[in-house]
Amino acid sequence: MPARKPRGAAFVPVAFAAFAAAALAAAPRARACGVSTADGLSSCSLAEHEEETRPRWRLGASASYTSTAIDFGSFRSPETRGSAIASLAYQPTPRWTLQLAAGSTLGGHLVTPAGQYDFSAGPTAAIGASWRAVPGTKPFVILTSNLSFSTATTEPTGAAPAASRYTAFDLRLGVLVGTTIARVLSPYAVGRVFGGPVYWAYQGEDVTGTDTHHYQLGAGLTVVAFGRVNLFAEGVPIGERSFAAGTAFAF
């Protein structure tokens, strides 16, 4: 089960946008040599400078929407969820990136035989790493990993409050393959596999589930917009379906 990135963090993109805008005037030209992935990983250097001058830190903000189903054994629940996250990545070498991320759910629900349950706000946290398997930008091949945790409460739609805890753990491994065009565009294909348990209290009983899909296949695009600022969007139509978009600033 992918870790769900739980709600109520609308201030994150606003704060990030203000921070990035203040730095744009001093930012040098950079290439789009990789992507900030939908699972929160900022996976490559945004500038092809010498080692002593390349940016080592990256601040990011993104929003995502997922649609999948959870298998609880005796029943199967379609699930949708939106989220917003902020991330901070450190790149000790041109090929390695380490990252921390945190965020909140923006909405979503589970559909069960007993009716629909809505997600409340709840925190999420993740730690990740990525490695550029092929040096350079044409092509780039990036291996990613992400370990995450999220928790929230659920309440039946339109019923008297009866909150129950929903907690998910997720280990996700992926590969991104793409190239850089005209120094600013980086289209890529992405594949991921993942797994992890979901713990929930359903109608007074503790149940354990997992995602009915343990893979993703999709594509995305990163664009260098202003110097060290890049934008990305990614769509995944196969497996766990998702759409994500965001921005990152290298410094």
Side-chain angles (χ1 to χ4, degrees), residues 11 46 76 99 143 149 228 231:
F11 70 91
L46 296 179
R76 179 178 178 272
Q99 181 188 278
L143 306 180
F149 157 83
R228 291 180 178 176
L231 308 174

Side-chain angles (χ1 to χ4, degrees), residues 126-192:
I127 184 171
S130 64
W131 180 63
R132 181 181 291 275
V134 177
T137 63
K138 295 183 178 181
F140 57 80
V141 177
I142 299 170
L143 306 180
T144 67
S145 63
N146 192 39
L147 178 63
S148 58
F149 157 83
S150 66
T151 186
T153 58
T154 63
E155 294 182 356
T157 302
S164 56
R165 180 62 54 181
Y166 181 102
T167 301
F169 297 87
D170 181 70
L171 175 62
R172 188 168 296 226
L173 305 175
V175 59
L176 296 91
V177 179
T179 190
T180 299
I181 302 170
R183 303 185 63 173
V184 295
L185 303 176
S186 292
Y188 64 91
V190 60
R192 300 186 184 98

Side-chain angles (χ1 to χ4, degrees), residues 172-233:
R172 188 168 296 226
L173 305 175
V175 59
L176 296 91
V177 179
T179 190
T180 299
I181 302 170
R183 303 185 63 173
V184 295
L185 303 176
S186 292
Y188 64 91
V190 60
R192 300 186 184 98
V193 294
F194 56 88
V198 173
Y199 302 103
W200 190 33
Y202 173 65
Q203 294 191 312
E205 295 186 4
D206 292 337
V207 293
T208 301
T210 187
D211 204 296
T212 56
H213 301 98
H214 293 285
Y215 64 93
Q216 289 186 312
L217 294 173
L221 176 68
T222 296
V223 180
V224 172
F226 310 101
R228 291 180 178 176
V229 176
N230 76 336
L231 308 174
F232 87 94

